[in-house]
Amino acid sequence: QLQASGGGLVQTGGSLRLSCTASGSSLGSLVAWFRQAPGKEREGISCISRSGVSRVYTDSVRGRFTISTDNAKNTVYLQMNSLKPEDTAVYFCASRAVRVPNSVCLNSIHYEYWGQGTLVTVSS
């Protein structure tokens, strides 16, 4: 079971750190963060391999967001800096047992397990 946390209200330019923790099982070989803004489709924004070596970012967050993993805590983090109003969304984490190629790791259809989502609101 995955649990996402760390969302909240922040001003433009601010920072938040989201956490995705697995309880009762390991995180799996691949974990990703997705977001869904009102009226929009779910968007994959970053994924990371269990080792932490392989990381992928979508263009809109590259250079501002950093994904990391702490296997001892069974947790994946998403550090979000320089936040913009367009980052406002519900953020979800997801995992799968077996890795897929980086080229498709931001596609939601590949993920078996999902957290409940945490709301991030960036005010202008």
Side-chain angles (χ1 to χ4, degrees), residues 6-16 18 33-38 40-41 43-46 57-66 78-92 118-124:
L9 174 64
V10 65
Q11 291 184 334
T12 296
S15 298
L16 283 174
L18 305 184
W33 284 97
F34 294 83
R35 66 185 179 187
Q36 188 164 19
K40 295 188 177 181
E41 294 186 353
E43 173 191 22
I45 56 175
S46 186
Y57 299 93
T58 194
D59 288 347
S60 62
V61 308
R62 188 177 296 114
R64 300 188 298 124
F65 292 8
T66 302
L78 186 69
Q79 177 67 44
M80 307 186 296
N81 299 328
S82 302
L83 284 162
K84 306 175 182 180
E86 51 263 44
D87 294 317
T88 294
V90 177
Y91 284 69
F92 300 88
T118 184
L119 177 63
V120 172
T121 303
V122 185
S123 63
S124 58

Side-chain angles (χ1 to χ4, degrees), residues 53-121:
V53 172
S54 180
R55 311 181 192 197
V56 175
Y57 299 93
T58 194
D59 288 347
S60 62
V61 308
R62 188 177 296 114
R64 300 188 298 124
F65 292 8
T66 302
I67 194 169
S68 61
T69 183
D70 185 337
N71 291 329
K73 295 184 178 180
N74 229 15
T75 299
V76 167
Y77 302 100
L78 186 69
Q79 177 67 44
M80 307 186 296
N81 299 328
S82 302
L83 284 162
K84 306 175 182 180
E86 51 263 44
D87 294 317
T88 294
V90 177
Y91 284 69
F92 300 88
C93 61
S95 72
R96 57 173 288 127
V98 179
R99 282 186 64 184
V100 294
N102 286 351
S103 58
V104 298
C105 79
L106 297 184
N107 190 328
S108 62
I109 65 171
H110 295 297
Y111 289 86
E112 304 155 324
Y113 308 104
W114 289 82
Q116 82 288 2
T118 184
L119 177 63
V120 172
T121 303

